Each structure stands twice: as C-alpha cells, then as structure tokens.
Amino acid sequence: MSVLAAERKVAIQAVLQASKVCQSVFKNLVSGETITKNDKSPVTVADFSAQAVVNTYLREHFPEDPIVGEEDSKDLRGDTGKALREKVLELTNGVFSESEKLSEDKLLEAIDRGNYAGGATGRHWALDPIDGTKGFLRGGQYAVCLALIVDGEVQLGVMGCPNLPVDASKPDGPRGSLFIAVKGQGAFQRAFSDINESPIKFSNITSTQEATFCESVESGHSSHSDSAQIAQLLGITREPVRMDSQAKYCSISRADADIYLRLPVSATYVEKIWDHASGSLLVTEAGGAISDVNGNKLDFSVGRTLAKNKGVIASNASIHEQVLKAVQTVLSKKQ
Ligand code: AMP
Ligand code: MG
C-alpha cells in the first residue's frame, strides 16, 4: 500500500461528505431564500456543519491526530446559540447513519477538535470547512479544503470544489470537482460523481506573455491594482480570471490558468494555514512553483498562521522567477 493511502481515502470521504452538506445548504437555504432576518447566515450553518463532519471522520480513523480548523463552537453554545446549534446538528447528522449520529455535546466537541495550535513537530490536519464564503453565497466558487501536515511539511491535500466545472472547457457541463495531492505521488482530479481519478499538470507555457492569471474576486483580499501593474510588466494581455476561494489553486494546477497572485492589501494581515496548505501541495505536485511575495517558501511549521510569509505567488515553474521579479518591482515602488 502506498504511503498515506489510508489518510488519502478518509480525507476524500470527509471532504466529499462536507461538500454535500454545503451543496444541500445552498439548495435549501440560499437559493430557496427561506432564511429570515434573524437566522444566522446559511454560510455559517454550512461552515460549522462541514467542520463537524470532517472532524468526526478524522476522529474516527485517526483519533490521535490534532486538527487546526477555522471554526470553534462559541457561537453555538448556550441559549443564544440554540437555534443555530439545532440547525447545525440536523445538517451534520444528515450525513451519518443512525448509529453514528451525534448528540449536541458530541457536535460541539467535534467542532472544537479544530482548536489545535499547529507547529513544527508531529502530525496535524488543517481544515477550511468553507473557503470562499462570498463565493458560496453568490453561487460561485467555494471549496472544502483539508491537508495533513507532518513535521511542518504538507504531505496530503484534498479539496472539494462543488461548483467548479469538471472540465473547464465545458463551463456549462457537470460541476463538482475533487482534487487530491500526496507529496511525491502527484496531483489528481476526479468528478464528485466518479471515483476514477486523472492526473493533472500545470500548463507548459514558457513565456509570461501567453499567461492568464487568476486572483480573488475581493480586492480586499488581494490587490487588483498591483496585479494590473504586474501583468503589464509581464506583457500579459489577457483579462484576469477572478474567482473566489482556493478553487484558484485547482484551476492553475489543471492548466485552466497559469499564475495565481495573492498580493497583500494590508501590512498587518497574516495568511492562515488552512487557506493555503492543500493548495500549495497541489501546485507543486502538478509541476508548478509557489512562494510568498518575497520568494520565500510557505512555512507551515509556525502555528495556525503563515506568520513568516507575506502574500502568495503560484505559477508554472518555468516562469516563476520572472513573475516574482515583477511582483517585487511593483511592490517595492509602494514602500
Ligand atoms: P478569496 O476567496 O481568495 O478572496 O479568499 C478568501 C479568504 O481570504 C478567506 O478564507 C479569508 O481567510 C481570507 N482573508 C480575509 N481577509 C483577508 C485579507 N485582508 N487579505 C488576504 N486574505 C484575507
Ligand atoms: Mg478560507
């Protein structure tokens, strides 16, 4: 059996089930417009449920492994959290069989299993139960992202993108794409509905002029004005592809685009490990290169954040140095 085969299998199952929870919330609460003003936002309900589902799977199969998860149960506790708690419990239990169903206490415990501090030694998981909440609400891109980090290095990444077309050349075709990477074993994609996986690879462009870059829809998460200047320096003429969530990592890793720019908008924002762990491994296993805007390797060993890094640049490996240089030229002018 190959290295991390059991972890791979469980992570896929957990991400698929959590993605299904998100899809059903969208169908019933967002597009159905059944939420009232006093309800917690549907994205909150889906976020907590997805974390409970993934953490429950991980606990069952790898009880010793700690988890760095984005959410905690604070808002679900006490009288004020009752309505939300009941909704989250119903949704979470929707994916489990009778004998596996969680009590309220077990639900809160499962969510809070995501409170690990992270660090440089041993194994831990990093989970973003819904990355791209704005994309989720607008029916655009969002992703359930799970990674296994061992001694500070990402070893396994699984990402579920419920709204990403399985084939980018058929934007109106089937949606629901799952991405898997294991260190040293390559990067793969499959449809939610099909267990067969196909290997994925970065584009093979050699000139930045041929490149398409992608970035956040939200200019508050990545500077659009800086990226426009960088594109100009690189001779890029194609319009940027703006997309919410870590689906950007998936898109470049299967050659839908060539470059992902995440350019700091504030001096104080620190990136979170759950926003980049699985995506960074997918990139390198698909033959791409990734660094921060200073050219440093993303460092997943320092806790729940990427405290030693600033921004992210991912691209085809052959143009990465050139992209980095353009990024630094534009950013240095601002200082
Ligand atoms: P995106 O979908 O690429 O816009 O990224 C969504 C992620 O941006 C969320 O998971 C947040 O954790 C993260 N985020 C929130 N504020 C900022 C910020 N000021 N700079 C960069 N990322 C942020
Ligand atoms: Mg996120």
Side-chain angles (χ1 to χ4, degrees):
M1 209 156 89
S2 52
V3 177
L4 299 180
E7 286 82 353
R8 188 187 201 278
K9 196 169 161 205
V10 170
I12 289 173
Q13 195 184 18
V15 167
L16 277 177
Q17 291 293 7
S19 299
K20 282 182 191 154
V21 167
C22 300
Q23 286 174 302
S24 88
V25 173
F26 185 82
K27 209 163 129 225
N28 296 322
L29 292 178
V30 184
S31 60
E33 293 184 82
T34 52
I35 38 167
T36 65
K37 259 192 167 167
N38 292 331
D39 278 341
K40 279 282 179 180
S41 91
V43 70
T44 313
V45 175
D47 230 359
F48 284 122
S49 300
Q51 179 153 325
V53 167
V54 173
N55 286 4
T56 300
Y57 273 105
L58 294 180
R59 156 86 173 186
E60 185 190 339
H61 295 276
F62 308 108
E64 305 296 320
D65 286 354
I67 305 164
V68 174
E70 184 170 14
E71 306 301 336
D72 67 58
S73 74
K74 203 167 67 257
D75 291 348
L76 300 178
R77 291 184 181 268
D79 285 347
T80 49
K82 188 167 185 287
L84 181 57
R85 186 166 70 237
E86 286 171 354
K87 191 77 220 153
V88 171
L89 186 67
E90 186 192 326
L91 267 164
T92 305
N93 278 336
V95 308
F96 295 126
S97 65
E98 261 332 296
S99 63
E100 295 167 326
K101 289 201 191 308
L102 304 177
S103 62
E104 281 199 353
D105 283 350
K106 291 277 175 214
L107 173 82
L108 300 177
E109 194 186 303
I111 292 168
D112 284 337
R113 211 166 292 125
N115 66 4
Y116 186 59
T121 50
R123 278 167 58 118
H124 63 270
W125 297 83
L127 168 67
D128 194 342
I130 297 189
D131 180 58
T133 49
K134 297 213 163 101
F136 174 82
L137 286 170
R138 40 185 171 234
Q141 294 309 321
Y142 67 97
V144 177
C145 304
L146 180 63
L148 176 65
I149 298 171
V150 183
D151 296 335
E153 295 281 341
V154 185
Q155 298 292 337
L156 164 70
V158 176
M159 274 179 278
C161 304
N163 286 338
L164 194 69
V166 174
D167 180 346
S169 69
K170 298 188 183 115
D172 300 322
R175 288 170 179 237
S177 307
L178 188 78
F179 296 84
I180 307 132
V182 182
K183 184 106 180 247
Q185 295 177 28
F188 301 86
Q189 175 187 353
R190 54 168 269 199
F192 278 10
S193 56
D194 180 354
I195 57 161
N196 294 305
E197 297 175 8
S198 317
I200 54 169
K201 281 235 156 299
F202 256 72
S203 71
N204 53 12
I205 59 159
T206 49
S207 151
T208 57
Q209 284 155 354
E210 301 167 63
T212 302
F213 77 92
C214 58
E215 63 184 348
S216 294
V217 176
E218 299 297 318
S219 57
H221 293 169
S222 179
S223 168
H224 290 174
S225 52
D226 291 346
S227 66
Q229 289 180 54
I230 291 160
Q232 202 177 14
L233 271 184
L234 292 169
I236 295 174
T237 50
R238 297 200 177 108
E239 284 298 304
V241 176
R242 295 204 171 126
M243 190 186 282
D244 294 293
S245 88
Q246 292 173 63
K248 291 186 277 299
Y249 280 124
C250 304
S251 290
I252 55 169
S253 297
R254 67 175 189 189
D256 299 350
D258 312 285
I259 303 169
Y260 168 22
L261 297 174
R262 191 168 192 87
L263 305 168
V265 283
S266 90
T268 50
Y269 184 77
V270 192
E271 298 285 348
K272 311 299 183 289
I273 64 167
W274 53 79
D275 279 331
H276 303 286
S278 47
S280 66
L281 183 64
L282 192 73
V283 164
T284 51
E285 286 300 316
I290 183 164
S291 71
D292 73 359
V293 296
N294 298 315
N296 295 322
K297 184 175 184 263
L298 300 189
D299 185 347
F300 292 95
S301 74
V302 289
R304 292 172 67 89
T305 68
L306 292 170
K308 294 205 176 146
N309 297 111
K310 205 75 204 155
V312 178
I313 307 165
S315 73
N316 177 310
S318 63
I319 59 170
H320 194 263
E321 273 304 313
Q322 214 184 331
V323 176
L324 179 61
K325 223 168 130 196
V327 167
Q328 292 181 341
T329 302
V330 168
L331 297 190
S332 65
K333 280 195 202 138
K334 295 173 65 177
Q335 283 160 4

